Amino acid sequence: MSVAETPDPTGTAPARRLTLTVNGRPREVSCEDRQLLVEVIREQLNLKGTHVGCLNGDCGACTVELDGRIVKSCLLLAASAEGAEITTVDAMGSPGDLSPIQEAFWDNDGFQCGFCLPGHLFAARELIRSHPDPSDDEIRQAIAGNLCRCTGYQRIVASIRDAAARVRGCAAAGES
Ligand code: FES
């Protein structure tokens, strides 16, 4: 991957110009070599739905999709995402137009504070793509990399079970 170097106005560190597609839109940002993808997403792109928790790969709050696979954006340098397609939770739905997976979490009280929600929503979406009718064990395995301090996980499992049913219903009806 090539990343264009641009002069650093402060003279302290080389700034890199990074070209990405974020939530379907081409974006160009400047970053330093040491900057994490989650920092660029939140600070430069102002997409605050992606959360910063542990910064250690344990909690999943920073989860995004990169080229169609979920990743923890605190574990990636932004420069390594040059040319990538990134989807953040901000693009999953909106308050008046929730996705079926978001609706299932809402209706089943699948979150409380909401901090862990990006990771659980993306884990659910990836699981349902490959396992349209997942067992509870498969659901628990899929969310194993995400920590929630509020719900005790039972409601998250119920939410994903319901989300899978809703996505199957949409597929049967020919809806996306
Ligand atoms: Fe990235 Fe916790 S902030 S996994």
Side-chain angles (χ1 to χ4, degrees), residues 26 31 43 60-61 68 71 83 97 110-111 121-122 137 147 153 156 170:
C31 70
E43 306 310 327
V71 297
D97 184 25
F111 60 94
L121 289 172
F122 276 119
D137 278 351
L147 300 179
Y153 298 98
I156 294 173
C170 290

Side-chain angles (χ1 to χ4, degrees), residues 55-132:
L55 282 178
N56 201 33
D58 294 323
C59 74
C62 65
T63 302
V64 299
E65 264 184 14
L66 187 144
D67 291 336
R69 298 299 309 271
I70 58 174
V71 297
K72 291 174 177 172
S73 59
C74 74
L75 293 182
L76 288 176
L77 292 172
S80 72
E82 165 65 17
E85 254 186 66
I86 292 171
T87 304
T88 72
V89 71
D90 310 86
M92 207 178 263
S94 57
D97 184 25
L98 297 179
S99 71
I101 296 174
Q102 288 172 312
E103 280 179 348
F105 272 77
W106 179 264
D107 289 345
N108 289 277
D109 299 323
F111 60 94
Q112 288 179 34
C113 79
F115 203 78
C116 66
L117 196 54
H120 283 111
L121 289 172
F122 276 119
R125 189 157 86 166
E126 189 166 83
L127 172 69
I128 293 167
R129 280 182 184 146
S130 58
H131 295 75

